[in-house]
Amino acid sequence: MSDIKVLLNESDIPTHWYNVVADMPKPPLPPLAPDGNPVTPEQMLAIFPGPLLEQEMSGERWIPIPEEVRQIYKQWRPTPMFRARRLEQMLGTPAKIYYKYEGVSPAGSHKVNTSVPQAFFNKMVGITRLTTETGAGQWGSSIAFAGQMFGIEVRVYMVKVSYNQKPFRRSMMQTWGAEVFASPTDMTNAGRTALAADANNPGSLGLAISEAVEEAASRKDTNYSLGSVLNHVCLHQTVIGLEAKKQFEKVGDYPDMVFACCGGGSNFAGTAFPFLADKAAGKKVRLVAAEPSSCPSLTKGVYAYDFGDVSGYTPLMKMYTLGHDFMPPSIHAGGLRYHGDSPLVCQLYNEGLIEAVAVPQIATFEAGVQFARAEGIIPAPESCHAIRACIDEALRCKQSGEKKTLFFNLSGHGHFDMASYDKYFAGELVDYDYPEAAVKEALKRLPKIAA
Amino acid sequence: MSDIKVLLNESDIPTHWYNVVADMPKPPLPPLAPDGNPVTPEQMLAIFPGPLLEQEMSGERWIPIPEEVRQIYKQWRPTPMFRARRLEQMLGTPAKIYYKYEGVSPAGSHKVNTSVPQAFFNKMVGITRLTTETGAGQWGSSIAFAGQMFGIEVRVYMVKVSYNQKPFRRSMMQTWGAEVFASPTDMTNAGRTALAADANNPGSLGLAISEAVEEAASRKDTNYSLGSVLNHVCLHQTVIGLEAKKQFEKVGDYPDMVFACCGGGSNFAGTAFPFLADKAAGKKVRLVAAEPSSCPSLTKGVYAYDFGDVSGYTPLMKMYTLGHDFMPPSIHAGGLRYHGDSPLVCQLYNEGLIEAVAVPQIATFEAGVQFARAEGIIPAPESCHAIRACIDEALRCKQSGEKKTLFFNLSGHGHFDMASYDKYFAGELVDYDYPEAAVKEALKRLPKIAA
């Protein structure tokens, strides 16, 4: 009988995060203010702590992980890597399939890899409160957990419609001691303005961001925390790929292709960037971001400076965008409904160092169920995108006879997404056409930068 | 920084289950038919496969685990053991607290440790279908997973009120390909009779058992599968305690006290029995079963022959019972709402080799939330009973200054129990008084055995 898990010891938890900037052909394009000038650190310090800003702008290849953070990482890291032997058999593919499972974390996804250091560095500079926004609650629960670990209060603005329809991640946040409010609230100007216009406003991620940022900017003891897109968030997630490389070394193998789902980009970055370091050193490895075909920023977007949020509060970032006020169709992979992508991911895509593929919703659930029946783990709808892309490649290998080694990151479990699986089984899921007209409209509103 | 996880390799997964019968002072009392004679194997073969019946009656100390079963175990075993350093600090106790975490399994609890071998041994004798009952769905999802692993069809009769109120474990069963029906159904005599009397019958575990057993008894290709109480179920769960002992050996420690929650008894048996082997060999270790104070079979029941189910379909088993038709209060730890206990656990309790403690509902959630805030894992309501008992002992150590080593099994996660946590936070949970009058009434209906 053959082994299926590749386990590491606690001492194998990385001691440093990997900063891909050191290996990029060109330096990353800076975030800009609407006047066209780079945003200054001073402007960012109102809502982010100094150490995180340093990471955001660092060109150093290796950034040390504080021992206090590694100690919390030990609660679930190193995460296991699996050889998907049953899935391979089910597919009848000559390809070898490996996956790393981030769902073993307390909040059930990779998000805690960054929420923990974010809470730690905020604590270090004397911050006692964090605000953030959350949609379905993946990020909110991750930052609630992290706040609890370091004794930092956490206030989460949760999109009202999710607050009412998806109560269980809210309960999870409360279990970890966070305050959770249905956004829009009457506690911020942004919220009050929205409620004055429409007392029944169901909320949106953009509005919840506005509330969280407004509160953080207005209080000295409070900072804001973001779960994806930014450089330091991608940096923290590299523990995934760094561990995976050790695990491949342990079994004497190396992937021909790496797959990860891609919404704001931190999961893909964390999985793929450490392999990109090898690629920079001459190794052959293909890195594939899997995105929804209904929200295909990398595969259909334009490469331009745009706002990170719907309302236009953030600095401008150069990214593949569908337009900052483009409203993606209501797919069940809420974490992938983002109009843009991490600027680092976008720049590397632009330079041809990474690839992207867009997959339709029903096919992702089909892949997720096939995976669950083979491997026993029920994946989050976001993760199903990576599984779909990987299975498609495994099936191509079946046709061609190629014995490729494929690897994907299983970013989270689907325990809080069973209602989506219900809809899949009931045949109620739909595949949305690529909303070309809506994207075209939204792109007309790209910000004009003063030259 | 100190380590907190104690990990084993796949090669450390036990090769044999431990059968406590070999170390019991007296042989176990046999199950009886209502006429007072022991039940014959022939009677049981209608619904159970031969290999499981052999295990049920075996006196051998070690029963080999088939390689096919160990291969599936590898998907989540060995499970991690943790040193609860943050919880110790939070409590300010000089005690050392360790816990083993069974929630990493596909279905999220220890139940799959037995569902997998049960499916395997049924497959071995040519059975192609399994029936079972489930309440909230922990057991149903575990057997659905196991059936999927060996290509066996699974039909689950799920108590109708749970089917409607707790849809997500049902979705989980369907993800693993099981058929799930709201019981009572019109597919069995038991179901039709119940529906004829009351078309709106909400169902009960007793009724669902009747439907599952009736179908299994009436079809040659179909057997019945039970998730607790029986000897072979307790046997399969000993992988928990066997691994824990290796993990203690690895860190050079040994528990003074072992805690596990106890409903039907298999979780407690699986955790404690391997330590009882050491006790039989002269080692000092206390083994404590934690049960709900509203359903305290060990601490308040009478030791007598009684039916295993509400309706009186099963053989009579000697156990601490509150009366087979005693209806426990609706506590949220559904897995602990059982009127009796495993006959093996009961006999050992009767002989003074194990202990029991009863804990009230609200205090268990209090312990669960404290644990989640310290250790990051949100426990199932059942597991909260073991946590409560362990924390109480840790607090006694704080008073006395004793540096005891405490160990408990965290039998499952609470991802599908967040509604119960919500009620706890909303102050809506109640502590039920011990239902003395109801128990007294139920005990009047203990079966009379023909002498």
Side-chain angles (χ1 to χ4, degrees):
Chain A
M1 287 292 159
S2 36
D3 281 6
I4 62 169
K5 278 201 297 296
V6 190
L7 298 175
L8 300 173
N9 296 314
E10 285 185 3
S11 57
D12 292 315
I13 296 173
T15 55
H16 293 72
W17 291 297
Y18 167 69
N19 185 2
V20 76
V21 171
D23 288 316
M24 284 169 73
K26 296 177 202 160
L29 295 167
L32 302 181
D35 63 6
N37 289 317
V39 176
T40 64
E42 290 66 32
Q43 291 170 294
M44 307 288 275
L45 278 170
I47 57 169
F48 292 116
L52 288 181
L53 276 188
E54 277 171 40
Q55 293 173 10
E56 187 67 22
M57 295 177 296
S58 171
E60 292 292 318
R61 183 171 282 106
W62 297 104
I63 312 279
I65 305 178
E67 274 307 303
E68 293 87 340
V69 170
R70 290 186 80 238
Q71 186 67 11
I72 303 296
Y73 276 173
K74 287 179 186 174
Q75 290 185 23
W76 72 97
R77 307 211 70 84
T79 59
M81 186 165 88
F82 291 85
R83 170 84 183 270
R85 292 187 188 272
R86 282 181 48 95
L87 181 62
E88 292 169 15
Q89 284 165 19
M90 198 182 266
L91 297 171
T93 180
K96 284 185 279 184
I97 302 176
Y98 295 87
Y99 62 97
K100 190 161 172 72
Y101 184 35
E102 291 293 306
V104 295
S105 85
S109 83
H110 66 293
K111 291 279 182 192
V112 283
N113 296 330
T114 185
S115 68
V116 169
Q118 287 193 41
F120 171 76
F121 288 115
N122 274 290
K123 170 98 171 179
M124 216 175 89
V125 298
I127 289 293
T128 59
R129 294 176 77 251
L130 284 174
T131 62
T132 196
E133 75 290 340
T134 201
Q138 274 281 12
W139 172 242
S141 53
S142 297
I143 195 78
F145 164 77
Q148 182 63 234
M149 291 301 111
F150 292 108
I152 287 187
E153 286 176 43
V154 170
R155 177 172 287 185
V156 181
Y157 291 90
M158 185 172 188
V159 178
K160 191 188 276 172
V161 61
S162 298
Y163 184 94
N164 292 324
Q165 284 176 3
K166 305 193 171 182
F168 296 143
R169 281 216 171 257
R170 164 166 60 77
S171 324
M172 205 172 190
M173 294 181 237
Q174 289 168 334
T175 303
W176 285 319
E179 287 182 304
V180 188
F181 293 97
S183 166
T185 73
D186 60 2
M187 304 183 301
T188 64
N189 290 328
R192 282 186 293 268
T193 306
L195 288 171
D198 175 7
N200 296 315
N201 188 315
S204 71
L205 211 50
L207 187 49
I209 293 178
S210 307
E211 292 206 271
V213 169
E214 181 184 323
E215 182 183 337
S218 70
R219 289 181 61 149
K220 277 217 168 140
D221 61 351
T222 303
N223 267 344
Y224 169 72
S225 182
L226 190 69
S228 193
V229 180
L230 300 179
N231 299 0
H232 68 271
V233 182
C234 295
L235 175 80
H236 299 157
Q237 293 295 354
T238 59
V239 289
I240 302 171
L242 291 169
E243 284 181 9
K245 282 170 66 173
K246 281 194 197 174
Q247 284 161 312
F248 273 112
E249 204 176 298
K250 200 170 169 187
V251 292
D253 212 336
Y254 192 85
D256 295 299
M257 294 177 76
V258 173
F259 302 85
C261 66
C262 193
S266 72
N267 171 58
F268 174 75
T271 306
F273 284 179
F275 290 96
L276 202 132
D278 297 346
K279 193 168 171 145
K283 197 130 185 167
K284 264 181 81 170
V285 54
R286 289 172 59 192
L287 308 170
V288 184
E291 60 181 15
S293 54
S294 58
C295 187
S297 44
L298 289 173
T299 52
K300 300 267 193 182
V302 300
Y303 193 41
Y305 268 101
D306 198 1
F307 293 111
D309 67 321
V310 178
S311 314
Y313 288 94
T314 69
L316 300 170
M317 295 175 287
K318 183 84 179 260
M319 50 186 185
Y320 284 86
T321 177
L322 303 169
H324 62 276
D325 62 2
F326 164 69
M327 191 57 67
S330 294
I331 56 167
H332 289 262
L336 306 184
R337 293 179 70 239
Y338 187 62
H339 68 278
D341 254 309
S342 140
L344 290 178
V345 169
C346 291
Q347 186 163 332
L348 290 163
Y349 182 67
N350 182 253
E351 289 167 352
L353 290 166
I354 61 176
E355 304 167 44
V357 60
V359 289
Q361 170 159 271
I362 294 175
T364 63
F365 277 90
E366 197 177 78
V369 169
Q370 188 169 32
F371 178 80
R373 291 184 180 175
E375 299 292 314
I377 301 167
I378 300 177
E382 290 82 359
S383 313
C384 289
H385 288 69
I387 300 175
R388 178 75 267 164
C390 183
I391 287 181
D392 285 345
E393 184 65 30
L395 293 174
R396 273 190 290 273
C397 289
K398 188 179 179 178
Q399 293 296 320
S400 67
E402 284 173 290
K403 292 181 182 166
K404 284 187 185 168
T405 296
L406 310 178
F407 169 60
F408 69 89
N409 187 43
L410 184 60
S411 52
H413 63 62
H415 298 171
F416 293 89
D417 303 286
M418 297 313 295
S420 306
Y421 279 89
D422 272 356
K423 291 213 167 138
Y424 169 71
F425 288 123
E428 291 169 8
L429 285 191
V430 291
D431 278 334
Y432 298 93
D433 288 332
Y434 167 56
E436 194 170 355
V439 170
K440 216 167 159 182
E441 273 307 306
L443 288 176
K444 287 183 188 165
R445 292 183 291 275
L446 277 186
K448 288 170 196 33
I449 302 166
Chain B
M1 288 289 159
S2 36
D3 281 5
I4 62 167
K5 277 200 299 295
V6 190
L7 298 175
L8 300 173
N9 295 315
E10 285 185 3
S11 57
D12 292 314
I13 296 174
T15 56
H16 293 71
W17 292 298
Y18 166 69
N19 184 4
V20 75
V21 171
D23 288 315
M24 284 170 73
K26 296 177 202 162
L29 293 168
L32 302 181
D35 63 7
N37 291 314
V39 176
T40 64
E42 290 67 31
Q43 291 171 294
M44 307 287 275
L45 278 170
I47 57 169
F48 292 116
L52 288 181
L53 276 187
E54 276 172 41
Q55 293 172 11
E56 186 67 21
M57 296 178 295
S58 171
E60 292 291 318
R61 183 171 281 105
W62 297 103
I63 312 279
I65 305 178
E67 274 308 303
E68 294 87 341
V69 170
R70 290 186 79 237
Q71 187 67 11
I72 304 297
Y73 276 173
K74 287 178 186 173
Q75 291 185 20
W76 71 97
R77 305 211 71 84
T79 60
M81 186 164 90
F82 291 85
R83 171 84 183 272
R85 294 187 188 273
R86 282 181 48 95
L87 181 63
E88 293 169 15
Q89 284 164 20
M90 198 182 267
L91 297 171
T93 180
K96 283 185 280 185
I97 302 176
Y98 294 87
Y99 62 96
K100 190 161 172 70
Y101 185 36
E102 290 292 306
V104 294
S105 86
S109 82
H110 67 293
K111 292 280 181 191
V112 283
N113 296 330
T114 185
S115 68
V116 169
Q118 287 193 41
F120 171 76
F121 287 115
N122 273 291
K123 170 97 170 181
M124 215 175 91
V125 299
I127 289 294
T128 59
R129 294 176 78 251
L130 285 174
T131 62
T132 198
E133 75 288 340
T134 202
Q138 273 281 11
W139 172 242
S141 53
S142 297
I143 195 76
F145 164 76
Q148 181 63 233
M149 291 301 111
F150 293 108
I152 286 187
E153 285 176 41
V154 170
R155 176 172 287 183
V156 181
Y157 292 90
M158 184 171 189
V159 178
K160 192 187 276 172
V161 61
S162 297
Y163 184 94
N164 292 324
Q165 284 176 3
K166 303 191 171 181
F168 295 144
R169 281 215 171 258
R170 166 167 60 77
S171 324
M172 205 173 190
M173 294 181 238
Q174 290 169 334
T175 303
W176 285 319
E179 286 182 306
V180 189
F181 294 98
S183 167
T185 73
D186 60 1
M187 303 184 301
T188 66
N189 290 327
R192 282 187 293 266
T193 307
L195 289 171
D198 175 7
N200 296 316
N201 188 313
S204 71
L205 213 49
L207 187 50
I209 293 178
S210 308
E211 291 206 273
V213 169
E214 181 185 323
E215 183 184 336
S218 71
R219 289 182 60 149
K220 279 218 167 136
D221 61 350
T222 303
N223 268 344
Y224 170 72
S225 184
L226 191 69
S228 192
V229 179
L230 299 179
N231 299 359
H232 68 272
V233 183
C234 294
L235 176 79
H236 299 156
Q237 294 295 353
T238 58
V239 290
I240 302 171
L242 291 169
E243 284 180 9
K245 282 169 65 172
K246 281 193 199 176
Q247 284 160 315
F248 273 114
E249 207 177 296
K250 200 170 168 186
V251 292
D253 211 337
Y254 193 86
D256 295 299
M257 294 177 76
V258 173
F259 301 86
C261 65
C262 194
S266 71
N267 171 57
F268 174 75
T271 306
F273 285 179
F275 289 96
L276 202 132
D278 297 346
K279 191 167 173 146
K283 198 132 184 165
K284 266 181 80 171
V285 54
R286 290 172 59 191
L287 308 170
V288 184
E291 58 182 16
S293 56
S294 58
C295 187
S297 44
L298 289 173
T299 52
K300 300 267 193 182
V302 301
Y303 193 42
Y305 267 101
D306 198 1
F307 293 111
D309 67 320
V310 177
S311 314
Y313 288 94
T314 69
L316 299 170
M317 294 176 288
K318 185 84 179 258
M319 50 185 187
Y320 284 87
T321 177
L322 303 169
H324 61 276
D325 62 1
F326 164 69
M327 191 57 65
S330 295
I331 56 168
H332 288 262
L336 306 183
R337 293 180 70 237
Y338 187 61
H339 68 279
D341 252 311
S342 141
L344 291 179
V345 168
C346 290
Q347 186 163 330
L348 291 163
Y349 182 68
N350 182 253
E351 289 166 350
L353 289 166
I354 61 176
E355 305 168 43
V357 61
V359 289
Q361 171 160 270
I362 294 174
T364 63
F365 276 91
E366 196 177 80
V369 170
Q370 188 170 31
F371 178 80
R373 291 184 180 176
E375 299 292 315
I377 301 168
I378 299 178
E382 291 83 358
S383 313
C384 290
H385 288 68
I387 299 174
R388 177 75 267 163
C390 183
I391 287 181
D392 285 345
E393 184 65 32
L395 293 174
R396 274 189 290 273
C397 289
K398 187 178 180 176
Q399 292 296 319
S400 66
E402 285 173 288
K403 291 180 183 168
K404 283 187 184 168
T405 296
L406 310 178
F407 169 60
F408 69 89
N409 187 42
L410 184 60
S411 52
H413 63 62
H415 297 172
F416 293 88
D417 303 286
M418 297 314 296
S420 305
Y421 279 89
D422 272 355
K423 290 211 167 139
Y424 168 72
F425 288 122
E428 290 169 9
L429 285 191
V430 291
D431 278 334
Y432 298 94
D433 288 332
Y434 167 56
E436 195 169 357
V439 170
K440 216 168 161 183
E441 273 307 306
L443 288 176
K444 287 183 188 165
R445 292 183 291 275
L446 277 186
K448 287 167 196 39
I449 302 167

